[in-house]
Amino acid sequence: MLDPVLDTGDGFVLFALSNTDLALLRNVVRDQYLHRIQCECPDKVGHYAAEGMASYHQQYNSAHFDHAKVWSKPNRVLGPGTYEQILRTDLFRQLNALYPGMGVSDEENFGWPNVYWRLVRPGSADIGPVHADAWFWELGHGSMPVNHYRIKIWLSLFSTRGQSGLRVVPKSQKKTDWRYHGEMRSGVNKPVLDEVEEELDLFNLPLSEGQGVIFHDRLLHGGMPNQSDASRVSLECTLLVPNKHSTS
């Protein structure tokens, strides 16, 4: 695994999870997913469990629960016990070796590191718009420890290569004057890109299930429109790395 700050000009590096890590991460996300559904419609949770997360869009009915409310970001942050399990994965052992002293951000102020997942239905508006993660922090979402920098990790748990996933603008972290503004949505001041998205050199990352990307905090990126026939499930978090590991 390479450090995108030190080792590449593109601002991102792809990698693959071990089969053991992929199975564990799928299981912990599935457990939280089913628990939330159980709280909202206990008579339907067995059906959702049997069909699986990739078929969520086929099972969901607005009569069951409010999709946007139930799957707000705070409801998708994994709990502290689950985070302890994630720390023991091969992935996090590699990350800790690469970034001694690193941590994971708690931008929701829950009191523990925030690792969270996202579910994107086919043909829906569930995807995140193009942005740089640094903009959220500049707008006051989360607090940074001194003498640290940020790197993002994004993992595909269920997706279709080339049809659902993440897209980026390579090398965009090198440009410091991208235009954006803040807009309050769902109680959060979120960044909105003021550039013409169609004029950006957006690149669909060639990610399959069990693969991921580590990328620069200022890299422009956003969700790929889900053109597959399955719901996409991803996992992500922000690493807080001591500045002694950075040359930027």
Side-chain angles (χ1 to χ4, degrees):
M1 189 181 296
L2 300 175
D3 183 338
V5 173
L6 301 179
D7 297 322
T8 177
D10 286 333
F12 65 92
V13 174
L14 307 184
F15 63 92
L17 295 170
S18 68
N19 290 336
T20 300
D21 280 4
L22 177 58
L24 182 147
L25 295 174
R26 280 177 166 175
N27 284 338
V28 297
V29 168
R30 176 181 180 273
D31 285 350
Q32 188 183 54
Y33 161 80
L34 292 176
H35 177 68
R36 288 295 309 161
I37 294 175
Q38 180 185 22
C39 292
E40 298 294 328
C41 54
D43 59 321
K44 302 293 184 183
V45 68
H47 188 61
Y48 281 90
E51 297 300 324
M53 294 186 73
S55 296
Y56 168 82
H57 60 289
Q58 296 173 330
Q59 317 313 318
Y60 173 70
N61 187 305
S62 59
H64 299 168
F65 51 82
D66 183 329
H67 172 90
K69 181 179 178 181
V70 166
W71 304 127
S72 65
K73 183 186 173 186
N75 288 340
R76 293 181 279 110
V77 175
L78 298 173
T82 298
Y83 178 70
E84 292 300 319
Q85 294 182 61
I86 291 173
L87 283 180
R88 295 191 289 271
T89 60
D90 294 336
L91 171 63
F92 267 72
R93 282 196 290 267
Q94 292 179 49
L95 290 172
N96 277 299
L98 184 61
Y99 304 118
M102 75 161 202
V104 171
S105 66
D106 174 20
E107 59 262 38
E108 298 299 324
N109 297 312
F110 283 172
W112 64 84
N114 295 174
V115 179
Y116 53 97
W117 53 277
R118 183 188 295 269
L119 190 155
V120 177
R121 295 166 290 179
S124 73
D126 297 337
I127 62 170
V130 175
H131 66 283
D133 283 352
W135 300 347
F136 278 95
W137 298 82
E138 291 168 359
L139 292 172
H141 189 57
S143 59
M144 274 292 292
V146 296
N147 298 321
H148 283 67
Y149 69 101
R150 296 178 299 269
I151 290 179
K152 189 66 169 282
I153 300 286
W154 189 98
L155 308 169
S156 169
L157 301 184
F158 295 98
S159 66
T160 303
R161 185 182 177 95
Q163 295 184 312
S164 63
L166 196 71
R167 51 187 181 164
V168 302
V169 180
K171 299 181 173 63
S172 55
Q173 81 283 1
K174 297 182 178 182
K175 179 177 167 65
T176 59
D177 59 349
W178 295 108
R179 296 174 297 130
Y180 77 94
H181 68 277
E183 182 178 289
M184 292 300 297
R185 285 180 286 158
S186 302
V188 177
N189 193 15
K190 297 185 178 182
V192 178
L193 181 70
D194 290 328
E195 309 285 346
V196 180
E197 186 171 310
E198 290 73 20
E199 296 179 359
L200 299 175
D201 187 20
L202 281 164
F203 171 67
N204 293 339
L205 294 177
L207 295 171
S208 300
E209 296 179 338
Q211 296 182 324
V213 58
I214 179 170
F215 59 91
H216 197 286
D217 186 56
R218 292 194 172 276
L219 185 77
L220 292 187
H221 65 283
M224 184 191 305
N226 188 350
Q227 300 174 334
S228 74
D229 59 0
S231 290
R232 185 259 280 174
V233 182
S234 58
L235 190 71
E236 57 192 279
C237 67
T238 298
L239 303 184
L240 304 177
V241 184
N243 273 332
K244 63 183 178 180
H245 301 291
S246 172
T247 59
S248 60

